[in-house]
Amino acid sequence: MSNSYDDIQTRDRTDTATAAENLLKERVEHQLYQENLEIEAEVRSLISDAEAALVGQTDDDPEALLSRAHWMLWLDPDRQAVLRGDELPNWAASQFTRIHRLRTRGRRPDPEDEYPVLLEVAKAQGYLSAATDKTDYAPITLEHVDKKGYSSPVDEEAVLPIGRKRMRKDSTASIEYMSAAIPHEACDHILTTASPRQGKDSTNARICGNLKDQHGYKWVSILDDGRNELPMIAIPNDEGAIRRSLERLGQQPKAYDTRVYVPAMPGVPDRLPSNFRLFTIGVDTLTPEIILRLAGKTTASGSTERRINRALESVRKGSGTVDRLVEELQEMAGEMEATVTMEDPEDDSLRDITYQMEEDETLQRAANTLAQYAGDGLIEDVGADTNIDMAEVLNAQDRVAALNCNFLDDGHGALHYVIMDLWMQLIWQAADEHKNVPRVALEIRELKNVAPSQPQNMKYSAERRSTAQTIFDIASQGGSRGILLVGSTQKVNDVRRQIRVNMRNKIVLSNEDEGIKTLKESINIDDVGRSGKSGAEVIKGFDPGQGLIHTPSWKRWPVEFGGARCGLSDKDRGWLDRYGLAWGARVREDPRDRWLNRHEDVDWWVEVNEVDVRDGDEKPAVRDYYSDWFLLDRDFPEETTREDIDEELVRQVLRDRREYPVRCDLSLRDVSELRAERTTTIRDAEEAQEERIEEGLEEYEVPAPLEALAYVKTDKRANMMEVLRVVRDRRVGTYGDIATHCSVSASAIGNYTSDDGEINGCIVKDADTGGYEITPLGEKALEVPWDSLDE
């Protein structure tokens, strides 16, 4: 062989004889392993077929089927260990031995007697998992990652499945071979699609929970559609069907430590659960990109971004107030002269290059929008107690972060999208600037609401477009920043195409014809068909929570998903009522529950948030916002009296009553002091300017003859003030003399001081000297801060 190819050829690590022996050993082990799998598959089939024959479903001879299964189990090399072990009940061990003696003597045992014995033996020897379901299940997990810079914190064997794939009873494949893991090493995004109420959000919540608990992601959920669904992450799942699915996977409901973030704006209730936090956005966390998005712009010129950056730098070094930032942006929005100073490296000389910067409509719009959001209470000065630090939020990896904008006043609908956009921008910024923040699992339920394929047909289209652009950035480039997008939708093509094609992992639950049609762009569903059914028919026939997983490298169906371990929305139940129940309290959910008849023996009860003891003939309140959370006298230890009730005792009883642990404080607290109380008035700009001028004239006590100066253009008024200063400081006898000492012509000075001029009466001619002198009215004109009236 040529030397040029030698380096890329395989080499034995041992001598040739040893290498050949090891290869032979591996092949024999593989053959025996495969033969064992085939035997296990045949035993499962024989026992299953015998069961069908015993109940009359087939004409097969059950005794003949059981006879073959018996000998396979008896000849198992681990039989003796199983017969002596703890896995097999004593009665089954003795019966199995007795039946074997009968068979060796040519006797035929009663099939109905032998069937349950063989079931027990097959289970003990590992051929079956359960008598009720004679097939094995392969686990579906999220990929265990182990690479430099990032690895899943739990061992690979300890990763909990998010679902299971049923294997055929005659399958000769191993469970290990049939198991599969959804890839996420490169933060591969996940899109789940299904018809309503088929479990897509439950599945995604389950995936995010696993990413958080077992792979070290920070779970952030940002879209709540008004049902207060995201706060349910803090309570254990209380839905019967999902609890049963979790039980089948050997798992339990789980309440996650969750912090729910609410904009500190008008509309927030006086009382909220203790795991809620009111937040604002500090001026110091804004960037040119964020400000442009606030203005509804996804792109801008380099000049615009530079001006915004200069304004931000000026405010950070200065007052740090929103007002100052708005002023800076407004000033920079106008026509400006820019000077660039250049240094000659040879002789250190300096030279200036001056150029004109045109008016910038985008900057003016950004300033106006920023002022509006500051008025609404969303944007705050540097150092405000409610300002959110997104890096700090992300670093709290053990706690879920949920954004909730459901309490915004009417008229703030567009702000839902603005705030979501802000959050994603801040997450992006934190991931860029702080390399130690964990990976982020960004959950967006009903992705089509914020990234629709046809935004022009929807309300708040401009805000949706801006938010969709940010989601596209995350879908296309978020993986490099450790941001994994987990989204759901009813139909794939409802989501902006550039986003959905970047979400390579797709989960398809039960769907209708219209939704299935849209799958064909990204998934080949023809190979999903079986038993004479098309792929579309198979998908339509999925049970709730059952579906198909499609990744770039493999496809599995039907997969039974475990469902969310945390709570989900329930349109028939109040979200705060469910918080109270999860906290361990009792809650009257129905005002027609005939309280007094059902609780005649109650002497007293306790409202748990206020720790207030009430008489038994007073009913706990059922309100629109939240009902009383309470405990009855019988919930407390025996011999407890009303006088014994205190906060510590109430909290202990609540802990004892919880079905599952709750990881954060759900009790209600007063948040009214933290809430922004602002009123924003929108009116005609010209009318507003006139009002400000009138207020300024009154504040600075401007005489009536000078009021006209407030309405003169700034540069023209500056010329008039220059004329007055020349008359005050110099000896001048004519308009020509005045003009030689300023930049104003003699004819213009004549117009300014004429009977109709704005500074008429501010200068007079002295009869004795023949020169011009300034009057007290002119002195007052020079004292007034006219620029303040302009602002």
Side-chain angles (χ1 to χ4, degrees), residues 764-773:
V764 294
K765 192 107 175 181
D766 187 280
D768 297 330
T769 63
Y772 282 103
E773 292 183 352

Side-chain angles (χ1 to χ4, degrees), residues 709 712 716 720 723 735 744-761 763:
L709 280 171
V712 175
K716 182 179 179 181
M720 295 177 185
V723 169
Y735 291 156
V744 185
S745 66
S747 60
I749 296 171
N751 291 332
Y752 295 163
T753 57
S754 66
D755 291 342
D756 298 328
E758 288 84 355
I759 58 173
N760 176 40
I763 62 174

Side-chain angles (χ1 to χ4, degrees), residues 326-344:
V326 172
E327 291 170 7
E328 290 273 356
L329 290 173
Q330 287 176 330
E331 182 179 333
M332 291 186 176
E335 185 176 332
M336 297 177 65
E337 184 179 88
T339 301
V340 179
T341 301
M342 302 185 67
E343 181 179 351
D344 190 328

Side-chain angles (χ1 to χ4, degrees), residues 341-355:
T341 301
M342 302 185 67
E343 181 179 351
D344 190 328
E346 294 184 359
D347 57 8
D348 295 333
S349 62
L350 301 177
R351 64 190 181 94
D352 292 339
I353 300 177
T354 302
Y355 64 96

Side-chain angles (χ1 to χ4, degrees), residues 150-166:
Y150 169 75
S151 61
S152 301
V154 301
D155 294 335
E156 188 168 3
E157 297 77 16
V159 173
L160 290 177
I162 61 168
R164 61 182 188 173
K165 166 72 174 73
R166 186 172 187 170

Side-chain angles (χ1 to χ4, degrees), residues 367-667:
N368 295 343
T369 306
L370 196 64
Q372 175 69 38
Y373 291 150
D376 288 332
L378 179 61
I379 309 295
E380 262 290 4
D381 299 341
V382 173
D385 291 339
T386 50
N387 284 351
I388 192 169
D389 182 338
M390 190 56 74
E392 183 179 305
V393 170
L394 298 183
N395 276 319
Q397 188 270 326
D398 288 341
R399 181 187 300 132
V400 180
L403 175 63
N404 188 313
C405 300
N406 292 338
F407 302 117
L408 295 180
D409 275 346
D410 292 340
H412 284 114
L415 265 181
H416 284 247
Y417 304 98
V418 172
I419 295 171
M420 279 187 280
D421 195 357
L422 269 172
W423 263 60
M424 289 186 287
Q425 289 282 336
L426 293 173
I427 290 170
W428 184 280
Q429 178 186 344
D432 261 353
E433 296 178 0
H434 303 272
K435 300 306 178 186
N436 293 325
V437 298
R439 289 184 169 202
V440 177
L442 180 63
E443 182 195 16
I444 306 180
R445 304 183 186 185
E446 290 299 345
L447 193 55
K448 67 175 182 181
N449 288 339
V450 285
S453 56
Q454 301 291 331
Q456 67 273 15
N457 300 328
M458 306 181 77
K459 200 173 182 181
Y460 314 123
S461 59
E463 288 78 10
R464 289 179 199 260
R465 281 195 186 93
S466 180
T467 307
Q469 180 61 40
T470 304
I471 294 173
F472 168 68
D473 292 342
I474 292 172
S476 57
Q477 305 170 53
S480 62
R481 290 165 172 80
I483 306 173
L484 189 158
L485 183 60
V486 182
S488 65
T489 185
Q490 293 181 22
K491 291 191 294 184
V492 172
N493 68 349
D494 282 343
V495 178
R496 183 174 167 183
R497 187 178 187 280
Q498 297 95 319
I499 294 172
R500 65 181 189 250
V501 297
N502 278 292
M503 302 181 75
R504 302 176 68 199
N505 293 319
K506 292 186 172 63
I507 297 174
V508 182
L509 306 178
S510 179
N511 220 315
E512 297 302 320
D513 290 333
E514 190 64 29
I516 293 171
K517 287 179 184 177
T518 66
L519 292 172
K520 297 180 180 178
E521 173 189 346
S522 52
I523 298 177
N524 176 19
I525 65 171
D526 293 336
D527 59 356
V528 179
R530 57 174 53 179
S531 302
K533 290 184 177 180
S534 66
E537 289 173 322
V538 170
I539 292 173
K540 285 175 66 176
F542 285 153
D543 294 329
Q546 190 181 59
L548 172 150
I549 301 178
H550 178 275
T551 76
S553 56
W554 55 265
K555 188 186 297 184
R556 291 286 189 279
W557 78 92
V559 173
E560 177 190 349
F561 292 98
R565 300 179 72 184
C566 62
L568 299 167
S569 66
D570 187 338
K571 64 180 179 62
D572 297 320
R573 303 180 66 198
W575 69 277
L576 272 178
D577 292 349
R578 294 169 65 200
Y579 253 48
L581 294 169
W583 190 231
R586 297 175 184 270
V587 181
R588 286 187 65 210
E589 296 187 80
D590 186 352
R592 299 163 299 179
D593 60 0
R594 302 180 64 188
W595 161 268
L596 293 178
N597 291 337
R598 293 173 54 243
H599 297 87
E600 290 179 335
D601 59 338
V602 174
D603 293 329
W604 49 268
W605 55 273
V606 180
E607 199 288 319
V608 301
N609 288 300
E610 301 295 335
V611 191
D612 186 17
V613 182
R614 314 276 180 87
D615 291 331
D617 57 359
E618 179 183 348
K619 296 187 292 186
V622 180
R623 307 182 186 88
D624 289 337
Y625 175 51
Y626 78 96
S627 301
D628 280 340
W629 300 2
F630 63 93
L631 293 170
L632 299 176
D633 49 11
R634 61 172 174 265
D635 295 324
F636 292 87
E638 290 186 18
E639 310 302 327
T640 301
T641 66
R642 305 168 60 123
E643 290 71 24
D644 298 328
I645 301 300
D646 59 19
E647 184 176 356
E648 182 179 352
L649 178 59
V650 168
R651 286 192 170 254
Q652 180 59 53
V653 173
L654 290 171
R655 280 193 294 271
D656 293 342
R657 283 178 47 82
R658 288 170 201 157
E659 185 178 8
Y660 294 99
V662 173
R663 290 171 169 78
C664 53
D665 189 350
L666 303 183
S667 61

Side-chain angles (χ1 to χ4, degrees), residues 46 49-51 53-54 58-67 103 108 111-112 114:
L46 288 169
D49 291 345
E51 179 185 286
L54 283 169
T58 68
D59 295 330
D60 294 335
D61 180 2
E63 193 279 329
L65 296 169
L66 293 175
S67 174
R103 288 198 176 278
R108 301 181 67 181
E112 292 190 3
E114 185 175 18

